[in-house]
Each structure stands twice: as structure tokens, then as C-alpha cells.
Amino acid sequence: MVAIDTLIAVAVDGLAFGVFLALLGVGITLVYGLGDVLNLAIGAFSVLAVIFTTSLIEQGFGLVVAMVAGLLGVALLGLAVDRTLLSLVYRSEGEERILLGIFTTLGLTIFIDGTMINFYPSRYNLPVDTGVFSLGGIGVTGGSLVIIAVGVVAIAVVFAFLRGTFIGKATRTVFQDERGARLVGVNPRGIRTLIFVLSVTVAGLAGLVFAIGSNVSVSSGFEFTVLALIVSIVGGVRSLTGAVAAGVFLGVVNEFANFFVGSYIATIILFGTAIVVLVAKPEVIS
Amino acid sequence: MNWLPGNSARDLSVLGVLLVVAPLPILGSSYYEGVLAHFVIFAMLAVALNIVFGETDQLFLFMGGLAGIGAYGTALLTDWLGVTAWLTLPVAALFAGLVGLSVSWISAKRKFTVVLISILTLNLQFVISEVLVGAREYTGGSTGFSYQYFSMDAIAETVGVNETLVLYYLMVLLLLALLVAYVALVNSRYGVAFNAIRQDELAAASIGVDVVHYKVFAGFLSAFMFGVIGAFYALEAGYVLPSAFSFQTVDVLVLIILIVGGLRSTLGPVVGAGIIVAIEEMLGSTFTNWRTAIFGALLIIIFLYFRSGVIPAVDNLRSGRFGRRFGGAEEEPEDEPAD
């Protein structure tokens, strides 16, 4: 029999993993909803944020400064990718654009991974003190609490931006009806650039929270992308709230499956869920 | 012989002769024999992808997984039943074929777009990879096992050449068989139906083309081929590892090869495999670390700028020149198999 406080500790870790998944899901959903580009390079941006940050920490910068600079670096790279590669992708329309987006970002992720592995071959994590906190007498991992706090704030900020600000509202207009947005004077291309930069920054933050207490290597990038893909399939590829809900749900399920039946079955459950959803409700991706 | 048009027969014979004499200048160099075998294997994989993706627009991104089913399936069945691998290979390949058949059937019935099929099969690829790593007691996990099936020493002794060479010629035969099958397929009623479905699925269905039947057939055939090729892939390596059948190792490369060579051209997969393997060799040992990065960049450039492929581009050039000289009508290179 498993003690109840163990279960709660597992649940907290699951929530933390769920918040990480939700951030990845939000990142991939924002861009797909706005411009039909399924960003298969999203995990590479997460890993880049971790690598930038840990290198800055090695140089003697403080943790927070390094994290902000790391995210800034990822944002700049995202801007460059949007202006060059994605501009070429946006020239085509409809199904062809979706397909072109998939292959271009797939090529990008392979390119980034293949380049970075030459310079950063080991495993990296953030030096955050992750003791065990006592929560009403139950010991839970400190790192998980930090992840949940940071992630919830970040997701709240993204939602507040989309709901509350003028640019956010313009973004949602493009989400709903691109032609209508044009008619009221919104420039979809400019919005797409902004949102792409925002999405890779969110993905960068996902990488940073993951690196609290876990190791990240260059090869983690594609694993993160696949996780993001699963979250967006289960949550519906154009729904932000769906991505958050699916992320948290899958995170908790995965952690419990991990605990009870082992990580191998847990991973298969993750993919299996995505496959079942795809076959049962193919309209999630369209 | 109307199922194999004259020019295809000529091209395939030339290719056959080239592949047969290819090992002669490098006889004895096991390194280059390995390179040649690698080239033939990836050409075969691209031929199989050309049927399911080129002809019927079903982008299978679990080629590595299907090949893995063929390779591991053959080995496990052989060990379990204690019979020769020549008998278990068709069974394992049939199983891979049935997996492809199921995917195609669900996709065609539910009218999946090419994007959906690619994402669905990508997920399946990761499930298969996970099973190959995780089911340790059967697959040896990530350490794999030595792959010594299909004893060929008898043939090797009779002919008097080494086993690697026997395996190479066997694979050349298989490649030629796949190409003949491809040409026969696109020149049969199947090819006509594939064309019709690709151009307008609804219109094809309205004149009585059974869309589901043709897509499922293509899915089964290609998946079966992937299964067969997978066993030879493992045999050539002499060792079987889950990472050899991963998305990054197999699918990405085969996709690049097919697109470089040109979709729906008979020799495209062979030319594409030649180009890619040549690039790999030119990078050599000095740039090994940059291999992945270079293929990533290549994937981007190919898809953004050269989606029509090398063979169709050459054909286009040739037919354009002749067209002007003889005042012939403009041909549509996309809809006919390249000669």
C-alpha cells in the first residue's frame, strides 16, 4: 500500500511536469493557430535557452540575470528565424504551407541539434537549491514548487496579454479570421512575428523550468518537441486553454504511470493517448 | 511487354549493369563495399516511400519503425521457431505490411490529410522505438544484439566470393525487383487510379475509383517492402540496435533522398540515394560531427527551393529543349514516370 503523502508528493511532481508540458503546448499552439506552421523546432529553442543560461552562469552571472539573458537570446534567434525561414514558408498557402512548415522546422531542429552537439556535448541543469519542503507535514520536492509557481505566472501573463492588451486582441482577431483582421487594419505578418518570438520565449522558459532539478542535453530538444506535439494534439492544436489543460492532465497522468508501472509504459501511454485522440477526433489538427 | 515500357527496361538494365560492376574497382575494400551496400539499402527504402508518398500522398513517417518490425520480427521468429530466417522474413514483413495497411485504412476511411497521416505515423514511430528499447528481454534493449541470420556461406563458397559480396548482389537483385515492381505498378490500372486520386479524390471516387482500396493497397505494399528491407539493413550492419531504426536515422534521410531524386520518378530514389551517400562520404571523417547539421540545412533548402527533385528537373530541361527544337507540345513532367 502506498502512503497517502507519497501520492501527494507524486501529484505535486506531476503538476510540475504538467506545467512544463503546458508551456510547451502553449508555445506550439500559438504559432499553429496563427499561421498554420507546426513548429517542430520548438524543443530546440527550449534547449538553447538552457544552454545560454548555464553558460552565462559559468561566466559568473547571477541566476536571474542569466535566465533573462538566456530567454532574450532565444527571442532574438526566434526573430531571425521568423524573418528568414518562416517568411519563405508563409509565401505558400493552405495544406502546402502546413507541409512546408513541418519540413522547414524539422530541418531547423536537426540543424540546430547537429550544430550545438559540437559545442555543448554534455548535460546541463540550473543550480537552483531544490531541497524538500514540508507542506502540511508532507515532504514535496522544492524544485517542483518553484516550477509550478513560475509556470503559472508565465501562463497567466500570456493569457493576460492576449485578453487585455490591444496587440493581444489584434492577435486573437487573426486567430479567428485572418481576412476580417486585415479589413480592420491588422497586419497579420507583423502579429505572426511577434507571436513567434513570444512562443519561442515561452518554450525557452519551459526548458529553464525543466532544467531545475533535471538534466537537459542537446538531444532533449527533439524529445521536448514530441511532447509539445502530443500536448497540442490532445488539447486541440488551435486551443490555448486546451493546451494548458492537456499539459497539466498528461503531466499528472505520466507521473503516476511513472510511479506505478515504470517510465517505459508511461511513455507509451503518452503516445497512445495522442494516437487515440488523432484517430478518434482528427479534426483537432485542421 | 506493355507492363514494362521499353525505355524503363533499358534504364533498369543500365542501372543493373552499373550496380553489378560497381564493386569490381574496389574489390577487397570492405569499407567501400559497406558504402555501396548502404547506398543500395537507402535507395530501396526510397523506392518504397515513392509508392506510398509519391503515388498516393500518404506520408509515412514510421519507415524506421516498419523496417525495425521487419528486422526484429525476423530475428525473434527465427529464434523462437528455430527455422531458417528465409521463412520468417516474409512473415515479419507481412506483419509490417499489416501495420501499414491498418494506418492507410483508418486514414482513408476517415479522410486524413497528408499532414494528419504524417503526425499519426510519427507518433507510431516513437511508440515502436520505445518498445524496441523497452522490451529488453526480447530485443536486448538499447544494447541490441548481433544479427547473424540468413546463412550465406554456402552460396559464398560455391561461387567463391566473400559473404559481403553475396549480400550486396542479393540486395542489388532486390533493388531491381522493387524498381521493376514500381514500373509495373504505375503502368497498370493502379497507376492510373493513383493519378486520378492524387489529382482529385472526389472526382476519382465519383467515376467509380475505389479510393480506399487503392490507398490501402499502396500502404500495405510499401510497408511490406519496408519490412523486407529492414531485415537486410540489419543483416548488412551485422548488429541490430533500436537507434538504427529511429526517426532521425531512417525517416529523415529517406525523405531527403526521395525529394532530392524526385517524387514519382523511377530512378529518382536511386539517384537521390547516390547523391546523399556521396555527400556523406565527401564529408568523410573530418566533418563527421557536422553531418547532422548539414543534413538539417539540406532538408530546409530542398523543401524551400528544390521540391521537384533532380530527375524531374533534368527531364524538364531535356523535354523542354527537344520540345522547342521539334516544335512538340509542352509535356507535363509531373504526371508521367521519368524515363
Side-chain angles (χ1 to χ4, degrees):
Chain A
M1 190 59 206
V2 185
I4 191 80
D5 49 351
T6 315
L7 287 184
I8 293 179
V10 172
V12 171
D13 286 348
L15 270 180
F17 188 55
V19 165
F20 159 72
L21 289 181
L23 285 171
L24 282 178
V26 166
I28 208 164
T29 303
L30 275 171
V31 177
Y32 190 78
L34 205 58
D36 282 348
V37 169
L38 197 60
N39 182 10
L40 292 186
I42 191 149
F45 287 99
S46 306
V47 171
L48 282 175
V50 175
I51 287 177
F52 289 162
T53 304
T54 47
S55 333
L56 285 173
I57 290 172
E58 264 173 39
Q59 305 272 314
F61 287 90
L63 177 70
V64 176
V65 178
M67 283 173 77
V68 172
L71 289 179
L72 211 63
V74 168
L76 283 176
L77 195 68
L79 182 66
V81 168
D82 179 86
R83 289 282 104 189
T84 52
L85 284 184
L86 292 189
S87 289
L88 292 168
V89 173
Y90 285 132
R91 284 188 314 197
S92 44
E93 290 288 330
E95 180 118 315
E96 197 191 336
R97 187 200 281 174
I98 301 182
L99 212 54
L100 205 54
I102 288 180
F103 289 125
T104 310
T105 54
L106 179 65
L108 179 66
T109 189
I110 295 170
F111 175 72
I112 293 178
D113 288 0
T115 309
M116 297 309 284
I117 196 75
N118 292 314
F119 303 107
Y120 299 97
S122 56
R123 301 157 75 81
Y124 305 89
N125 59 26
L126 294 185
V128 177
D129 184 27
T130 55
V132 175
F133 280 77
S134 178
L135 207 72
I138 298 161
V140 293
T141 332
S144 294
L145 295 179
V146 177
I147 293 172
I148 294 171
V150 172
V152 167
V153 170
I155 291 170
V157 168
V158 170
F159 273 77
F161 164 75
L162 289 175
R163 300 255 144 96
T165 64
F166 179 77
I167 299 177
K169 283 177 184 160
T171 307
R172 287 196 296 145
T173 319
V174 183
F175 249 90
Q176 285 160 6
D177 184 354
E178 191 175 321
R179 233 179 88 185
R182 265 182 218 282
L183 289 176
V184 294
V186 175
N187 170 15
R189 186 68 189 94
I191 299 278
R192 278 191 191 127
T193 304
L194 179 77
I195 290 301
F196 188 76
V197 171
L198 178 67
S199 83
V200 298
T201 314
V202 170
L205 189 66
L208 289 179
V209 298
F210 187 86
I212 300 175
S214 309
N215 284 316
V216 173
S217 64
V218 169
S219 62
S220 311
F222 202 66
E223 290 163 23
F224 288 176
T225 299
V226 174
L227 288 174
L229 203 56
I230 292 176
V231 172
S232 64
I233 289 168
V234 174
V237 142
R238 288 178 200 275
S239 161
L240 275 184
T241 41
V244 174
V248 173
F249 169 74
L250 289 174
V252 173
V253 167
N254 183 67
E255 210 62 33
F256 274 102
N258 235 334
F259 184 75
F260 285 109
V261 291
S263 68
Y264 156 54
I265 305 282
T267 314
I268 292 185
I269 290 177
L270 271 189
F271 287 114
T273 315
I275 291 169
V276 168
V277 172
L278 267 179
V279 172
K281 283 185 66 184
E283 59 273 17
V284 290
I285 296 207
S286 53
Chain B
M1 220 164 90
N2 66 4
W3 55 272
L4 191 63
N7 48 7
S8 297
R10 187 199 60 211
D11 284 356
L12 291 185
S13 319
V14 172
L15 175 71
V17 171
L18 281 177
L19 288 173
V20 166
V21 299
L24 296 182
I26 50 145
L27 211 55
S29 158
S30 58
Y31 175 76
Y32 281 105
E33 281 173 8
V35 173
L36 270 178
H38 181 69
F39 153 68
V40 173
I41 286 166
F42 274 86
M44 289 195 284
L45 290 168
V47 174
L49 181 65
N50 201 14
I51 295 174
V52 71
F53 180 46
E55 295 296 327
T56 66
D57 271 350
Q58 304 180 85
L59 181 49
F60 274 18
L61 290 184
F62 63 153
M63 297 176 263
L66 291 172
I69 291 177
Y72 278 92
T74 305
L76 295 180
L77 282 174
T78 306
D79 290 345
W80 181 47
L81 299 172
V83 295
T84 163
W86 296 106
L87 285 176
T88 54
L89 170 65
V91 180
L94 193 68
F95 183 68
L98 290 178
V99 173
L101 181 142
S102 321
V103 168
S104 284
W105 188 75
I106 291 173
S107 311
K109 272 280 176 197
R110 297 192 63 94
K111 301 203 182 324
F112 277 18
T113 58
V114 55
V115 179
L116 253 171
I117 297 176
S118 65
I119 292 172
L120 174 66
T121 52
L122 185 62
N123 269 292
L124 285 168
Q125 167 73 47
F126 289 113
V127 172
I128 296 172
S129 287
E130 201 63 38
V131 171
L132 292 185
V133 176
R136 246 178 233 101
E137 58 270 47
Y138 302 109
T139 64
S142 47
T143 45
F145 54 86
S146 156
Y147 205 86
Q148 309 289 350
Y149 299 89
F150 303 99
S151 64
M152 265 170 246
D153 41 354
I155 312 173
E157 268 177 39
T158 335
V159 190
V161 289
N162 65 24
E163 265 184 76
T164 338
L165 221 53
V166 175
L167 178 61
Y168 169 77
Y169 282 119
L170 204 63
M171 291 195 300
V172 167
L173 263 181
L174 189 61
L175 172 62
L176 290 172
L178 291 183
L179 287 170
V180 169
Y182 175 78
V183 174
L185 186 73
V186 295
N187 286 304
S188 69
R189 71 188 169 95
Y190 279 87
V192 180
F194 290 157
N195 266 331
I197 294 171
R198 214 172 43 244
Q199 280 163 17
D200 192 334
E201 204 171 306
L202 204 64
S206 75
I207 53 165
V209 177
D210 187 348
V211 175
V212 175
H213 166 80
Y214 286 103
K215 284 193 170 178
V216 168
F217 179 79
F220 171 79
L221 188 64
S222 289
F224 181 83
M225 288 177 175
F226 285 127
V228 173
I229 302 162
F232 283 94
Y233 178 44
L235 190 61
E236 200 276 317
Y239 206 84
V240 67
L241 282 172
S243 62
F245 298 98
S246 72
F247 175 73
Q248 288 97 325
T249 327
V250 176
D251 295 77
V252 171
L253 213 55
V254 175
L255 196 61
I256 295 180
I257 286 171
L258 182 61
I259 304 295
V260 166
L263 280 173
R264 291 191 293 282
S265 71
T266 309
L267 292 184
V270 182
V271 174
I275 293 174
I276 296 304
V277 172
I279 291 177
E280 268 184 328
E281 287 313 305
M282 280 191 297
L283 296 179
S285 49
T286 24
F287 291 106
T288 322
N289 298 336
W290 289 92
R291 186 177 162 271
T292 318
I294 288 167
F295 279 119
L298 203 62
L299 188 64
I300 298 176
I301 295 167
I302 288 165
F303 272 94
L304 287 178
Y305 297 106
F306 300 103
R307 259 170 301 158
S308 53
V310 173
I311 289 262
V314 172
D315 265 12
N316 219 356
L317 217 69
R318 214 162 52 182
S319 68
R321 203 177 59 217
F322 286 133
R324 265 195 301 281
R325 192 183 295 167
F326 297 114
E330 274 292 314
E331 285 182 9
E332 247 189 61
E334 239 196 37
D335 294 322
E336 55 163 26
D339 54 33

